[in-house]
Amino acid sequence: MTETQASTALDPAAAAGMRWYVVHAYSGQEKSIQAALIERIAASGSISAAARDMGMSYRRAWQLVEAINASFAEPVVVTATGGKRGGGASVTPFGRDLVARFHAMEDKASAAIADDLAQFKVQLATRRMPPARKPAVRRKTR
């Protein structure tokens, strides 16, 4: 974690709002990595399984969980260590409510910009990128 990420993780005001919001411009999908991680932890009961499902390292998932928990007054994810079943993780009722409220905010934001986004997509569709050219093959001369 960089110094900037660490300071942001410790400052709830800096971590609030649309910092959870990640837009994948080329696919047009809007996703929150943090919200998705919390949902997958809730479904699997494991940070490791959630990380695998999302294609991220366990270390990265653990860092996100620590940053999320540090950003709020109450824990979002709690963990249990070791034991016969190898420990696990669960999302607190506060965490479940937090994700539900975040998705409600996403829905409101999407509805507010729907017309503008439709116009934006029309403008993107009118300009096509030229096909990629294959690089020239150089032949060895003797």
Side-chain angles (χ1 to χ4, degrees):
M1 186 181 310
T2 67
E3 188 175 17
T4 302
Q5 289 170 325
S7 66
T8 301
L10 298 177
D11 181 4
M18 299 309 261
R19 291 195 55 87
W20 269 26
Y21 197 66
V22 177
V23 176
H24 298 274
Y26 295 105
S27 67
Q29 295 177 336
E30 302 160 356
K31 296 186 179 192
S32 163
I33 293 170
Q34 291 89 343
L37 179 62
I38 294 167
E39 290 169 331
R40 297 226 173 126
I41 290 170
S44 67
S46 165
I47 294 172
S48 180
R52 272 193 308 275
D53 286 348
M54 295 181 70
M56 74 170 64
S57 70
Y58 172 78
R59 185 179 193 289
R60 175 72 177 129
W62 182 252
Q63 288 174 332
L64 283 170
V65 168
E66 285 181 323
I68 292 165
N69 278 341
S71 296
F72 295 97
E74 296 181 45
V76 175
V77 176
V78 292
T79 59
T81 56
K84 286 183 180 180
R85 300 177 72 181
S90 61
V91 177
T92 65
F94 172 76
R96 290 178 191 273
D97 183 55
L98 184 71
V99 171
R101 282 186 281 140
F102 175 75
H103 287 310
M105 288 188 305
E106 278 185 317
D107 292 344
K108 287 177 188 177
S110 293
I113 65 167
D115 292 339
D116 293 328
L117 186 58
Q119 287 299 315
F120 189 76
K121 286 181 179 180
V122 167
Q123 295 300 318
L124 287 175
T126 59
R127 181 179 167 149
R128 301 279 183 214
M129 295 293 290
R133 290 180 15 180
K134 292 183 180 179
V137 177
R138 295 184 181 207
R139 297 181 185 201
K140 292 183 180 180
T141 57
R142 291 188 183 202

